[in-house]
Structure formats: C-alpha cells, structure tokens
Amino acid sequence: MTQHNPWPEEGNTGHIWDDDIRELDNPPPLWWMLAFYAGFIFIVFYLIYYPAIPLANSHTKGVAGWTAIEEYKGDFQVLNDWRERTFAAEEEQLRALDVTEIIEDDHLRAYAINTSRVLFTDYCMACHGAEGSGNPNFPILANDDWLWGGSVTNIKNAMVNGLMGNMPARGMMGNLSDEEVVEVAKYSIALSEGNADAEQFNVGRDLYNGKGMCMACHGPAGAPLAPNGSANLANNINRFQGVPDNLQASRLESYIYTIKYGVNVRDGADFLENTRRAEMPSFAERLPDADVNIKRLAVYVHSLGGGQ
Amino acid sequence: MSEHNKEAYRPNIHTGSMLDDVKVQSKTLDDIGVEILPVHAGGTIHAKRIPGRFRTLKWIAASFWLLLFFGPYLRWDGRQAVLWDIGSRQFHIFGITVLPQDIWLLAMILLFFALFLAAATAIAGRVWCGFFCFHTVWVDIFTWLEEKLEGKPAKRIKMDAAPFSMQKLKVKLPKHLIWLFIAFMTGFSFVAYFTDAFDLWLRLFYFQLGHYEFAIIAVLTLLTYLIAGFMREQVCMGFCPYSRIQGAMTDTETVLPTYDRDRGEPRGRQRRVKPGEEAEPLGDCIDCRMCVDVCPTGVDIRLGQQFGCITCGLCIDACDEIMTKVNKPKGLIRYAALNEFAGKALPPIWRRPRVVVYSSIMGIAAAALLWGLMNMSAMDVTVLKARAPLFVQMSDGSIQNRYEVKIVNKTNDIMRAEIEVFGHDKILALPDRVAEIVPGNVATVGLLIRIPQESISEVSTPITVRVTDLNNPDTVVKYQSVFHGPG
C-alpha cells in the first residue's frame, strides 16, 4: 500500500496495492439497491405470515398457520385422490373378485403385483426377506417348498388365518432317547440325499416308521402326502437353520435339535423354553384394508417364483 | 511484400493481442478494462444498411428460418409431419417414429451438427454466426423493420435523443407491435412442434392453452422481443460462448473477413497535391469508417481478428463500394487467411488436419445415424434379473432364477411376444405368458429359469433370452443375461 494516491478523482478508498490495483468505493447499481430494500419489506410480511422466529421452547406460528407437514399431507392427499380416481375400476375388481380370478387376468395381476411391493416391504420383508428371499428360520417365499400348499388361495388363507405348525419333541410319543434321536436325524438327512435305503440307516428307518411315528406326518418317503405344515424331508430345503445360538451349526446338529425339542411345543399355555418357534401371524387385523390388500399380496407372493 | 511486413503478419503476432494496436500508456480503469476490447460501448448500434454480395447472401441464408414458421403445418399420414410428442413419448419426423429407446440417434444428430459447425468454422470462420444463427437473423429482420419504419440511422439517432412526444410514439409504436408479433410467432411456432399446431391455434383463440404452453409461448415471446430488439450484439459479445471459443477453432488457414493492412496503411484521406509538392505516402484505406458504420456488432475490422466479429461480410460489401468510388481495386477487406497475407499458399481443404478430423467424426456420426435408422428394431427387449434372492433351490433340487422381461412394441401393430431361453442344455424356462403388446406400449413378462444343480458348475452362466413376435416371426430380438447358481 502506498500513501501517494495518483488517482484522487476516481473516488478510490486510498487502498492501493502493486502500484495500480486499488479499491474503489462505487455504489451498487440502482436495481440492486431497489431489490435489496424490496427484500427488507418482503421479509417483514414473511415474518408475520409464516412461522419464522425461534423462541426459547417454541417459535412464532405465523398468522396463516402454515406448516410444512400440513402442506406435505395436503399434497399427499392430492396424490391419493388421484390414485383413487385413476384406479377405481381396478380396486373395485380386486375387491369383488377371488384371488384365483385376479391371477388369471393379465392386467389385474400386474396391477396387484405393482401395488404390493410397498406393502410387502412394510409388512412381510422383516421376516421373509426382500422379494421373499427368506431369512434364517423364516421361510423363503421364492421357492416352491410350500409346507401349507402353494396355490394362490393357500397363500391368501395363510395371511388371513395365520399359520402355526406343531411338532412333538422326541417323536410323536415323546419317547425317543438321545441316541435314537441321532439315528432318526441321520435317516432324515439321508432321505433328502437319496441314499436312505443303505444299511447304515436301518435303525433310523425303523425308528422313523415305528417308535418315533415320524412318517405319520412327514410321509413314508419324507414327503408329506398332502400339505399339512410338516417339513418336506425329501428335498434339500431346510425349514430350520442351525441351532438357536449358532446358525452355522451343521445340518445334522440342526436336525437333532429340532427332533429333541420339537416345534411350538407347549406346556399348558406357555411354549417350552427350548422348543423351535415358527409362527405366521394372521394379517387380517394387522393390515389396513386387509380385505383387498391380502388378495394383492397373495398374488404378489405367488409371483415370486414358487407359486403353484 | 517486404520482408519486414511479412514478419508483422507472422500468425502469432497477428492473432496475438489487441494490445498491439491500442495505446495503453495510461493505466486508468477505463483504459485497461474496456478499451482494449474493441467493442462498441456507446449505446444502441444503428448500422447502415447497404446492398451488396454478402447482403444478398444473408437474405438467402435467413430465408432458411421461414421453415420454423411453416414447419408445424406440414402433414404426413394424417398427422403433423414433425411432432415431438413428449406426452406420449413419441417423436415423429415424417414417416419415422422414434421412441425414447432410440434417443441415442438424437445424440448422433447433435454430434454431427456440432462437428459440422467446427468444420465450417475451421474452413471459413463463423459462417454460422454471420449468416445462419437465429439471433443474427432475427436482429437483422428487426433492424430492417426499424429502418423501414423509422428511417436511416442518422434520423433514428436523432429521434432516440429527442424527448418523448406523441410524434415519437406514433413512429415507434408500429415497430414495437410488429416486433412483438414476430416474437409471438416465434414462440408459438416453437411450441407448435410439440403439440398439434392447428389444435394449438384453436385453443389459443378459445383461451384454453395449458399452463406450460402458455408460459413457454409468453417467455419466448418476451425473450425474442427483448433479445432481438434490444440486446442485439450484446448477446453475441456477452452471452454467447461461441465468440469466445472461436480463437481455438480457427487457425492461420481459415479464411475470414480481413483487412489488408499492407495495402491499407498508413490510412488517411489523400489531400489535393499542389504542384511542386510531393504526395503523402498513404495506403489505400481512406479512413471513411464505412466498414465500422455498417457493422451490426459495431467492431472495427481494421483492428484484425476479434471476438466481436461475426464474419457476416457486410464490411466487405461497404469497402468494395468505396474502393470502386475512389477508383481503387476492390478487396481491401476480403475473405482471406492469415497465411495468404504472409505469402504462403493455402493447402487444399482435404489436406488440413482440422478439416480431416472434424469430417471423419462427422462421417462416423452420419454413418451411425444411418445405421440406426435402417436397423431400428421393431421391438426393444430388456431382461432385468431379480437380485433378491440371486437364486433359490427348488424342491426337486434345481436352481431357479427370476427375471423380468420388458418388451417394447415400436410398431403400429399388436405384437404377441414369445420368450425362449438358450445357453445351457438342461435349461427350463417358464415365462408367465405370451404377452400381447399394444403399439407403443411396454409389456412386463415374468420369467423363471431353472437348471438342475448338478449340471451347473459356474457361479454365473451366460444365457440368451430370445423374444419372437408371433404375429410377425421375422421380428426377433436377443438379449444376453446371466444365470446365477451356488457354483
């Protein structure tokens, strides 16, 4: 900065660098100043009209009573009204028709599937995984292993009524010893691996068909004769994974645990502490507008890859 | 040409800095900030209009824009010939219908014209700016009207300076009304390419325009009026990026309107020589400033190449006329390349690297466009693989993957799309259905694919999904996807 000012007339502030770079004191353009003052006037009305000034525990509410959430709700209402108007015919048909009829109609089926994704995410995904990919000890919906039947009506009924299977601990009569449980478990695994006729499984086979009376529910070859909630032992899809404190436990350990403690075994009104728990609750009360929404979810679940 | 002068025209000197010709002893802001840029800073430019070769050429080039106004009324097959139907996502150009899936063709068109612009600039400077640019053309029309309605530049300058009066209003009002009408027609015609033009007129007169239509027409009308009527050359100088990048797009082989400094300097008016006195050694430029007076952007071409010059050639017309009057050869200002002044021969156009590179890219874009138009498939297929779960095991031990097949019908007939899958000898494909697809629509078909677990060894097996239109079995589209398994 220099004290000598070679440009006294141009209205600079006297701040000069490098001989000729200097700070001028020019006013902003008129339009800019006008906009600036207009901004002042505007903000007065804004402060009165809208919630604006933060107070200790609250804030000024504004004379219009405007809030962001109310505006959002209003907009959402507009969207919902539009949906109701636009898809009134489809919704009417979903309400009137049975799921078996809905699934036959290409348009309705697509509509049901597209309107189900959010519902599925909200109500079903926590247990059954994204797009029915399953979770440990919660069934995969994308395959065709349906313990309670895989037709769209079966699926709908499961959601309406809920499901809870039951498997007694240590065989039907509860009288299998620890050694016998292991033999039955080995035989059950052999059923799915296709070598159940081997001599080494003779003990297990006899227990399965005799003392344990497993075949009564699981069927003579491991496959239930009709869907009754019992696991299909003839395929490689396991209903339960691992043991409660170790999901990585071997298949044999898992089978042994299940046979030992059963599934949903009660002592009076309470479940036994170690028993496997498996329950699909009823959604008739949990879902909003369950009448229609269960139908569309049934169509969606049926489309995930295993519907029959 | 003397050796010294050749040196002066060495490209790097001539295309260097305007500072060469401007006195900058004084370092006040005005001098370093404004005057070194040879731009007109004295209010509205009232350029003289004189007839000439380039004037005629400008009119011919400008008439190209009449297409904008008449285009929307052309019909083809019972609908508007050129219609950018955004609502139904279909773009009609005469017989061709382009759906959003083929929008890459638009990229090719843009690439072609961008390179066309670059190539034209490399050969002959800003021919776009000078002759075709809508801004140049609209300003030209607006100032032509101004001259017809308000008189010659001298008269207009006088009237602009005069205080407001009824007389002044009477002269000015018709001009502004006609300007506004042209501006409105511009905005309206633009919008008419996006919706049926006749219907748009009808709705305009019934006051039933949509919000967007009304807003776009209003904004374009206002902008055209303001920009072509008032902003004029300021748009070329201050808004348009093209003037700033032209220095990178031209070279010493580009022909541009250039002032022949060797011939013209020293400029000045030749005084009558008294007997016995020696004539002043003056160049051909008589410093009549006619080239500046006719310039629509108000630049002085004698300062050399500059960003304010839109290369419209009007100064050439003006200078040629003056040279004829003073009995000197034409061409003191002429289209010439810097190398010509330096005494070098210009190589033929096809030997210039810029031109060759630009044209090859143009050629590729044009070929891609042509290929795209000829091979535009009637059907568009996308196969989306479900990601959750990647695969599941079925009760029979096979591995299943789920897909969604999206099929777009780009024809005008109903399609029945059948899906087949190849890629593995034990593959089992279970599509939802044979989809019936209405013209211009998309069908989503669920697809399940199963392969026995023991016969897949890879985590990921490539598969091919083939979709056939049963109504027209020639229409077959294949899509490559993958099948995931436990490996």
Side-chain angles (χ1 to χ4, degrees):
Chain A
M1 261 199 243
T2 51
Q3 290 307 309
H4 173 65
N5 186 351
W7 301 276
E9 282 94 36
E10 71 178 4
N12 64 47
T13 57
H15 299 159
I16 298 166
W17 296 266
D18 291 348
D19 298 336
D20 58 356
I21 299 175
R22 61 245 186 234
E23 182 184 28
L24 301 188
D25 189 17
N26 290 331
L30 178 64
W31 69 265
W32 197 94
M33 289 308 292
L34 287 178
F36 186 57
Y37 294 128
F40 267 112
I41 298 166
F42 169 79
I43 202 68
V44 172
F45 289 101
Y46 185 96
L47 290 177
I48 297 168
Y49 193 79
Y50 284 112
I53 305 167
L55 307 173
N57 299 315
S58 170
H59 57 83
T60 57
K61 298 283 185 280
V63 293
W66 180 91
T67 61
I69 190 66
E70 282 306 317
E71 180 167 317
Y72 166 75
K73 282 178 182 166
D75 288 353
F76 195 66
Q77 189 59 43
V78 170
L79 177 66
N80 265 342
D81 290 349
W82 174 83
R83 279 181 181 151
E84 270 173 35
R85 273 200 314 279
T86 312
F87 300 112
E90 283 86 353
E91 288 294 325
E92 196 49 50
Q93 280 177 294
L94 282 193
R95 200 173 292 278
L97 298 178
D98 187 68
V99 271
T100 49
E101 294 167 303
I102 294 169
I103 213 158
E104 288 303 314
D105 182 323
D106 275 353
H107 176 70
L108 269 187
R109 182 170 174 273
Y111 176 77
I113 290 173
N114 287 333
T115 51
S116 291
R117 295 184 203 277
V118 174
L119 279 175
F120 188 87
T121 309
D122 285 354
Y123 290 91
C124 317
M125 201 181 84
C127 296
H128 290 292
E131 295 181 54
S133 51
N135 270 322
N137 296 327
F138 293 99
I140 297 172
L141 302 178
N143 64 23
D144 62 348
D145 187 36
W146 302 95
L147 309 188
W148 301 88
S151 75
V152 68
T153 311
N154 290 145
I155 296 170
K156 189 198 85 175
N157 289 342
M159 275 185 269
V160 173
N161 303 322
L163 296 171
M164 184 156 67
N166 167 282
M167 169 168 158
R170 296 179 185 270
M172 183 113 69
M173 309 312 293
N175 55 359
L176 293 180
S177 69
D178 281 0
E179 292 74 27
E180 286 169 335
V181 166
V182 173
E183 288 305 317
V184 172
K186 282 182 179 164
Y187 174 71
S188 302
I189 292 173
L191 281 172
S192 68
E193 288 173 347
N195 56 350
D197 295 337
E199 208 174 317
Q200 51 171 311
F201 300 119
N202 283 346
V203 182
R205 191 185 312 114
D206 289 344
L207 290 166
Y208 180 90
N209 292 320
K211 188 178 175 191
M213 293 171 76
C214 310
M215 53 94 68
C217 293
H218 290 285
L225 298 175
N228 57 9
S230 315
N232 185 335
L233 304 175
N235 65 30
N236 268 315
I237 303 164
N238 299 327
R239 174 63 187 83
F240 297 106
Q241 283 80 32
V243 294
D245 52 5
N246 178 17
L247 287 176
Q248 305 300 320
S250 72
R251 198 175 175 195
L252 181 61
E253 284 178 71
S254 173
Y255 268 58
I256 292 171
Y257 186 93
T258 311
I259 300 170
K260 248 186 191 167
Y261 299 105
V263 179
N264 294 329
V265 179
R266 288 174 200 260
D267 176 19
D270 300 326
F271 291 103
L272 285 184
E273 194 189 339
N274 289 327
T275 187
R276 295 257 194 206
R277 294 283 287 112
E279 182 184 358
M280 160 88 183
S282 159
F283 277 84
E285 303 296 325
R286 293 171 185 240
L287 267 176
D289 201 5
D291 196 21
V292 179
N293 282 338
I294 282 183
K295 284 189 199 171
R296 71 173 112 228
L297 275 169
V299 174
Y300 175 75
V301 170
H302 188 264
S303 79
L304 287 175
Q308 286 159 355
Chain B
M1 198 184 278
S2 73
E3 208 46 50
H4 166 75
N5 279 339
K6 270 186 192 165
E7 193 63 21
Y9 275 111
R10 250 189 10 213
N12 61 338
I13 290 178
H14 198 84
T15 56
S17 166
M18 289 302 156
L19 289 168
D20 295 350
D21 289 313
V22 176
K23 294 182 179 66
V24 281
Q25 289 93 339
S26 151
K27 285 184 177 178
T28 64
L29 261 195
D30 284 349
D31 280 344
I32 54 175
V34 179
E35 281 197 357
I36 57 159
L37 296 178
V39 296
H40 180 93
T44 312
I45 293 172
H46 290 288
K48 287 195 174 116
R49 299 178 78 88
I50 55 164
R53 268 191 304 154
F54 287 101
R55 180 69 263 172
T56 316
L57 203 58
K58 261 174 92 78
W59 280 125
I60 296 169
S63 56
F64 163 79
W65 284 102
L66 286 173
L67 277 178
L68 171 79
F69 297 101
F70 295 114
Y73 309 104
L74 294 176
R75 301 280 118 178
W76 190 275
D77 275 351
R79 56 163 168 70
Q80 193 160 314
V82 181
L83 181 64
W84 307 96
D85 190 345
I86 291 179
S88 28
R89 292 176 184 79
Q90 292 183 353
F91 308 110
H92 303 285
I93 308 154
F94 295 94
I96 306 168
T97 299
V98 182
L99 292 181
Q101 285 77 11
D102 292 313
I103 211 70
W104 65 273
L105 291 174
L106 181 69
M108 287 300 122
I109 296 176
L110 292 178
L111 181 64
F112 180 85
F113 280 106
L115 270 295
F116 189 41
L117 187 70
T121 309
I123 296 171
R126 291 160 70 181
V127 278
W128 163 256
C129 295
F131 300 94
F132 295 100
C133 173
F134 40 84
H135 179 65
T136 306
V137 170
W138 261 243
V139 170
D140 201 29
I141 305 286
F142 275 39
T143 50
W144 176 76
L145 280 166
E146 196 169 60
E147 176 140 323
K148 288 285 163 221
L149 294 166
E150 296 182 1
K152 297 276 180 205
K155 200 174 159 192
R156 302 211 297 268
I157 291 166
K158 220 170 111 188
M159 190 168 60
D160 281 354
F164 179 78
S165 67
M166 280 317 279
Q167 180 58 31
K168 189 173 172 178
L169 184 73
K170 230 166 91 180
V171 179
K172 288 260 178 196
L173 193 63
K175 177 187 82 176
H176 287 286
L177 289 179
I178 298 177
W179 279 6
L180 273 171
F181 175 71
I182 296 176
F184 165 74
M185 284 308 297
T186 309
F188 185 88
S189 302
F190 178 81
V191 173
Y193 282 95
F194 294 86
T195 178
D196 188 88
F198 293 106
D199 183 52
L200 191 66
W201 275 116
L202 210 65
R203 281 186 289 131
L204 175 73
F205 288 122
Y206 284 123
F207 297 104
Q208 283 174 347
L209 286 185
H211 291 125
Y212 290 113
E213 290 163 343
F214 176 78
I216 294 171
I217 293 177
V219 166
L220 286 182
T221 303
L222 202 69
L223 284 181
T224 310
Y225 174 70
L226 288 177
I227 289 178
F230 298 90
M231 304 295 296
R232 298 195 186 171
E233 85 288 344
Q234 296 301 326
V235 173
C236 308
M237 307 273 194
F239 295 2
C240 184
Y242 190 45
S243 60
R244 308 300 172 120
I245 58 170
Q246 67 155 344
M249 298 171 76
T250 59
D251 54 27
T252 52
E253 290 163 356
T254 306
V255 292
L256 294 164
T258 314
Y259 167 65
D260 190 340
R261 203 153 69 166
D262 291 331
R263 210 189 112 189
E265 299 296 318
R267 64 183 80 154
R269 224 165 267 270
Q270 192 76 54
R271 259 169 306 192
R272 217 170 275 276
V273 184
K274 287 177 193 150
E277 252 179 326
E278 207 173 316
E280 271 183 90
L282 290 180
D284 279 357
C285 175
I286 60 167
D287 205 11
C288 63
R289 293 187 62 81
M290 198 56 185
C291 54
V292 182
D293 288 347
V294 297
C295 180
T297 57
V299 303
D300 187 346
I301 190 70
R302 294 171 301 174
L303 284 173
Q305 231 182 58
Q306 53 199 292
F307 81 100
C309 175
I310 58 170
T311 75
C312 62
L314 292 181
C315 51
I316 302 180
D317 280 351
C319 194
D320 282 353
E321 195 185 295
I322 298 294
M323 286 297 115
T324 315
K325 276 184 189 160
V326 300
N327 283 326
K328 282 177 179 162
K330 288 181 178 181
L332 179 58
I333 303 173
R334 62 178 185 272
Y335 257 102
L338 292 177
N339 271 359
E340 291 178 56
F341 289 110
K344 290 183 202 159
L346 286 188
I349 282 177
W350 60 87
R351 294 272 299 276
R352 302 184 199 167
R354 275 172 192 263
V355 179
V356 173
V357 172
Y358 291 151
S359 334
S360 354
I361 303 176
M362 268 164 75
I364 293 168
L369 189 64
L370 212 63
W371 181 86
L373 284 177
M374 301 214 303
N375 291 287
M376 211 151 67
S377 163
M379 185 198 271
D380 206 57
V381 172
T382 318
V383 178
L384 305 171
K385 188 178 183 309
R387 282 159 297 177
L390 270 183
F391 60 86
V392 285
Q393 186 177 44
M394 306 304 278
S395 353
D396 63 1
S398 61
I399 301 299
Q400 173 174 286
N401 283 202
R402 189 161 58 89
Y403 304 80
E404 268 185 5
V405 184
K406 292 195 184 280
I407 307 163
V408 186
N409 179 358
K410 298 200 271 185
T411 65
N412 293 320
D413 308 299
I414 290 182
M415 271 184 180
R416 285 175 59 232
E418 189 195 47
I419 296 173
E420 293 158 293
V421 181
F422 305 92
H424 192 280
D425 49 352
K426 288 199 176 144
I427 208 159
L428 173 66
L430 305 162
D432 267 4
R433 62 202 157 102
V434 173
E436 291 232 340
I437 318 164
V438 229
N441 242 337
V442 191
T444 306
V445 181
L447 171 66
L448 301 172
I449 300 179
R450 285 180 200 167
I451 301 180
Q453 184 178 1
E454 59 274 14
S455 62
I456 39 173
S457 49
E458 297 293 321
V459 174
S460 162
T461 312
I463 53 160
T464 307
V465 178
R466 188 173 80 180
V467 183
T468 314
D469 176 14
L470 293 181
N471 289 348
N472 179 12
D474 291 341
T475 308
V476 176
V477 176
K478 289 178 181 169
Y479 193 97
Q480 305 294 327
S481 187
V482 288
F483 181 93
H484 286 128

